[in-house]
Amino acid sequence: MSDRADVGPLQLGERAPNFVLDAITREGKIAIDDFRGEKPVLVGLYRGLHCPFCRRHIATVSLLTPALSAKGIESLTVVNTPIERARLYLRYHPMVGLLAASDPERVSHRAFGLPNMQITEGESALPHKVSMSDVKAMRVNVPGEMPEPMDPFATLEYLNKKDNYDITEADQKMMATGVGQLMGQFLLDRNGVVRWTFSEVFDGGLGAHPNSEAMMSVASHIGQ
């Protein structure tokens, strides 16, 4: 499999590579090639369920699933969360129609060109590394959910507490190597070609949300 994280996220017109992962919401495997030649698919690649931003992105996409299905488009959510931990979370937080896969090794993220941003004590060189001082200087806001903008680490702590999300040992293992993993969404046509994309940091920065209206507009043209 191609690893293009040093190049950057897949761009419009590029053909998505295949990856094969364990399914969370059903038995067996899920692969990009399952959809190729069959139907378009919106692929969401997230840090994991330990990330409150990711949980909110996934919830938003799940609300769009009926509209996507009506256009003949599948939605695939990939999380950097071990399968048993992910299944336990979704047992208590079910999302109707969610098709999800587990990728604790972040194979899919690398294949689609999403860097794992390293936090260092030196200088920043976004999107591949960022200094701790620059992280602390960032301010993130989730309108309607936070009393004020906070630095990313304070935001994560605040939102996880607000959501009553308990960080487990499985979560900690994922965070130890992937706390800086960037997330993204890629709308692929039935041939697996990228027709719309959103990539964190590249398209608005940490905590930014994709433009769902723009995505659905493109979906209207590539669906059935």
Side-chain angles (χ1 to χ4, degrees):
M1 175 178 299
S2 154
D3 181 341
R4 57 166 285 157
D6 290 337
V7 177
L10 292 177
Q11 298 298 303
L12 298 181
E14 291 192 277
R15 190 172 187 268
N18 187 42
F19 58 71
V20 182
L21 301 172
D22 289 320
I24 296 170
T25 48
R26 70 184 192 198
E27 297 301 319
K29 303 285 186 178
I30 298 177
I32 290 296
D33 281 355
D34 293 342
F35 308 99
R36 209 183 307 272
E38 297 294 328
K39 62 171 62 175
V41 57
L42 175 64
V43 181
L45 306 177
Y46 303 99
R47 267 184 294 280
L49 294 170
H50 59 269
C51 166
F53 300 118
C54 300
R55 295 196 299 271
R56 283 158 173 76
H57 280 262
I58 294 167
T60 297
V61 170
S62 72
L63 294 176
L64 295 173
T65 298
L68 289 169
S69 296
K71 300 179 187 301
I73 298 174
E74 186 66 85
S75 178
L76 172 61
T77 292
V78 178
V79 290
N80 174 213
T81 301
I83 190 166
E84 292 306 324
R85 171 57 170 156
R87 284 177 171 169
L88 179 63
Y89 176 82
L90 291 173
R91 185 183 307 161
Y92 292 99
H93 301 84
M95 299 184 197
V96 177
L98 181 70
L99 179 62
S102 170
D103 188 4
E105 301 298 328
R106 301 187 301 281
V107 172
S108 58
H109 301 73
R110 292 193 299 274
F112 274 55
L114 293 171
N116 183 13
M117 188 166 57
Q118 302 301 308
I119 300 176
T120 72
E121 296 301 326
E123 295 182 355
S124 295
L126 295 174
H128 298 288
K129 62 181 181 178
V130 61
S131 70
M132 180 61 76
S133 60
D134 283 348
V135 172
K136 288 290 187 179
M138 294 178 185
R139 288 296 176 266
V140 180
N141 190 23
V142 179
E145 295 199 62
M146 297 170 56
E148 61 183 3
M150 303 176 186
D151 73 63
F153 291 117
T155 299
L156 294 176
E157 182 178 358
Y158 180 87
L159 292 177
N160 278 333
K161 184 176 181 180
K162 181 178 186 292
D163 296 346
N164 293 315
Y165 187 93
D166 294 324
I167 299 296
T168 65
E169 182 179 353
D171 294 321
Q172 290 173 343
K173 288 181 178 179
M174 297 299 97
M175 294 166 68
T177 57
V179 69
Q181 177 62 60
L182 301 185
M183 59 183 177
Q185 296 178 357
F186 302 84
L187 180 59
L188 312 180
D189 65 20
R190 60 177 41 82
N191 295 315
V193 176
V194 178
R195 297 304 182 191
W196 174 89
T197 180
F198 166 83
S199 302
E200 188 182 29
V201 173
F202 295 89
D203 298 312
L206 184 64
H209 279 266
N211 187 327
S212 295
E213 290 185 5
M215 185 273 291
M216 291 301 296
S217 177
V218 175
S220 296
H221 291 91
I222 69 171
Q224 293 179 347

